[in-house]
Amino acid sequence: MEDKPIKIIHIISSLEKGGAQGLMFEIIKSLEKPKYEHLIISLKAGNAYESITASKSINLISLNLSAYSLLSSFKKILKTVKEFKPNVIQSWMYHADFLTIILKPLLRNIKIIWSFHHAHPKKNKRSSIFIAKFCSHFSSFIPDAIIACSDLTMREHIDFGYSANKIIVINNGVDEKRFKYNPKIPLSRENPVIGFIGRWHPIKGHKTFIKAAKILSKEITSARFIMIGSNIDQQNYDLNNIIKANDLAQKIELYGEEEVDIRKYYEMMDIYICSSWSESFSLTIVESALQGIPIISTDVGIVREIINDDLINQTGDSEGIASSVMKLIEYNDEKIETQLKDSYQRALNKFTLDRMLRDYEAVYENHSLID
């Protein structure tokens, strides 16, 4: 007799491009039938991952949740739960967590898992902060487990009021097989290509990067700067105004969002800069380390677990970032190679996709979660 699949309903706020969404799809694509069966409920209409859901025949229900449609949406969710008969409901982000609080009294023999993918619950829109705080009061008895994507995310949420007893840390993972460790040694010191990857959002620190680029363009006259990410293109009026105000229109190249393969941009880079104001887990830091690219970063997320302190700066410190780049360029080849090997090994030991998937499987299969 065949074992029944572990059936999981994923409830997520939206299917717009984002770290939580990308991680969810990575899990769904990797933990497949016959062992697992997945269904997604998106609380908002729209699907930026349509190519994946179509090619993989992923069950998806898109709602257009609002104050006016709350009752009908709730009935549709209950109908879906009754028909799908999940073992687990996993909610992604605070609004979905909130929904499970309402659902819990109506669920029998279904375990609930919450997921945290934002390091600083206080650094959100006011409405999201309110919902997160509300959820924190129920965190000791509504979810059977809470998954945090990093140690920092766990600590910040415990400080915010969430139950420490329920939180499990599963570090995000990168598919190391997609990246080829290929450090460029000797490092280009005359005309380095300095890269930035991040969607258009204040938290990513685009202005910090651009100000650092202005300082560096005076020190290294042949340096090139490349920026990649959603809305990082010529149509972004605000971004281009910042670039022009810093006299960098001829120095910064904008490539927009990469849908197919981000590796081609890593292969262009001599140095990678993360200038974020906040990160729970920066995939680009791990990817750069696996590719063998020197990293300069603000003090966010897991960066201290990947690179040495002397290349880490305070958030918003453009001068510090520029100074770190100049310091790195002055390192001899042996020191650069040693640091790159160290960063690569750290990433390989702790932040791979296979390790992450094993950890998620352990949670899904644990007898305290699956009856």
Side-chain angles (χ1 to χ4, degrees), residues 302-320:
I302 59 163
V303 68
R304 289 187 177 274
E305 299 181 62
I306 296 289
I307 68 174
N308 294 334
D309 291 355
D310 57 345
L311 299 177
I312 299 174
N313 302 272
Q314 293 302 307
T315 53
D317 187 0
S318 299
E319 291 183 2

Side-chain angles (χ1 to χ4, degrees), residues 46-63:
N47 181 10
Y49 298 85
E50 191 169 358
S51 61
I52 298 175
T53 54
S55 64
K56 293 288 185 178
S57 300
I58 297 171
N59 294 319
L60 169 63
I61 294 174
S62 292
L63 306 176

Side-chain angles (χ1 to χ4, degrees), residues 83-180:
E83 291 175 351
F84 189 72
K85 296 182 174 62
N87 303 98
V88 173
I89 291 178
Q90 181 168 358
S91 54
W92 299 76
M93 300 182 284
Y94 303 131
H95 290 77
D97 298 341
F98 172 77
L99 187 59
T100 65
I101 296 173
I102 304 172
L103 286 171
K104 179 74 172 184
L106 304 173
L107 304 177
R108 296 184 63 187
N109 301 320
I110 299 172
K111 305 301 182 180
I112 291 176
I113 301 172
W114 289 357
S115 307
F116 293 153
H117 300 277
H118 185 79
H120 304 285
K122 294 178 183 178
K123 294 182 179 179
N124 275 295
K125 293 185 292 187
R126 187 173 297 177
S127 59
S128 295
I129 294 172
F130 174 80
I131 290 174
K133 178 54 74 173
F134 181 87
C135 290
S136 72
H137 296 303
F138 293 83
S139 62
S140 63
F141 58 92
I142 292 295
D144 294 274
I146 302 172
I147 297 174
C149 70
S150 68
D151 290 323
L152 175 63
T153 299
M154 176 185 67
R155 291 194 303 270
E156 290 286 332
H157 280 84
I158 290 172
D159 289 344
F160 193 69
Y162 281 86
S163 172
N165 296 327
K166 292 295 181 76
I167 299 181
I168 303 164
V169 175
I170 299 182
N171 287 301
N172 284 358
V174 171
D175 186 356
E176 70 280 8
K177 295 183 286 293
R178 293 184 63 243
F179 294 88
K180 182 180 180 182

Side-chain angles (χ1 to χ4, degrees), residues 146-343:
I146 302 172
I147 297 174
C149 70
S150 68
D151 290 323
L152 175 63
T153 299
M154 176 185 67
R155 291 194 303 270
E156 290 286 332
H157 280 84
I158 290 172
D159 289 344
F160 193 69
Y162 281 86
S163 172
N165 296 327
K166 292 295 181 76
I167 299 181
I168 303 164
V169 175
I170 299 182
N171 287 301
N172 284 358
V174 171
D175 186 356
E176 70 280 8
K177 295 183 286 293
R178 293 184 63 243
F179 294 88
K180 182 180 180 182
Y181 180 71
N182 186 27
K184 297 178 182 178
I185 298 174
L187 182 68
S188 175
R189 291 167 168 85
E190 302 298 327
N191 53 353
V193 177
I194 300 172
F196 169 99
I197 301 174
R199 62 191 168 89
W200 180 244
H201 189 285
I203 208 169
K204 295 299 182 181
H206 300 83
K207 189 178 291 186
T208 302
F209 173 80
I210 292 166
K211 287 182 177 179
K214 181 177 183 178
I215 297 168
L216 288 166
S217 66
K218 295 175 181 177
E219 298 285 344
I220 315 169
T221 55
S222 297
R224 289 173 56 206
F225 302 92
I226 63 173
M227 300 181 73
I228 303 100
S230 176
N231 294 322
I232 307 302
D233 51 39
Q234 296 298 333
Q235 284 68 52
N236 187 324
Y237 178 82
D238 293 331
L239 173 62
N240 281 280
N241 273 353
I242 297 170
I243 291 171
K244 290 173 184 175
N246 286 277
D247 298 319
L248 292 172
Q250 304 304 315
K251 288 280 189 177
I252 294 182
E253 302 164 24
L254 306 179
Y255 287 94
E257 183 173 13
E258 175 52 42
E259 296 280 358
V260 180
D261 194 348
I262 195 68
R263 290 176 296 181
K264 64 185 178 184
Y265 294 112
Y266 285 122
E267 288 168 359
M268 292 170 61
M269 296 179 198
D270 294 289
I271 298 169
Y272 178 70
I273 290 178
C274 171
S275 54
S276 295
W277 286 89
S278 175
E279 291 281 353
S280 54
F281 184 101
S282 175
L283 288 174
T284 58
I285 292 288
V286 178
E287 290 170 349
S288 298
L290 291 172
Q291 189 72 27
I293 302 170
I295 301 162
I296 310 293
S297 181
T298 47
D299 194 0
V300 293
I302 59 163
V303 68
R304 289 187 177 274
E305 299 181 62
I306 296 289
I307 68 174
N308 294 334
D309 291 355
D310 57 345
L311 299 177
I312 299 174
N313 302 272
Q314 293 302 307
T315 53
D317 187 0
S318 299
E319 291 183 2
I321 289 172
S323 177
S324 291
V325 172
M326 296 307 299
K327 185 191 301 182
L328 174 67
I329 286 176
E330 291 172 5
Y331 287 169
N332 60 43
D333 293 347
E334 184 179 358
K335 183 170 183 177
I336 292 174
E337 186 172 13
T338 298
Q339 289 203 355
L340 293 179
K341 284 182 178 178
D342 181 59
S343 294

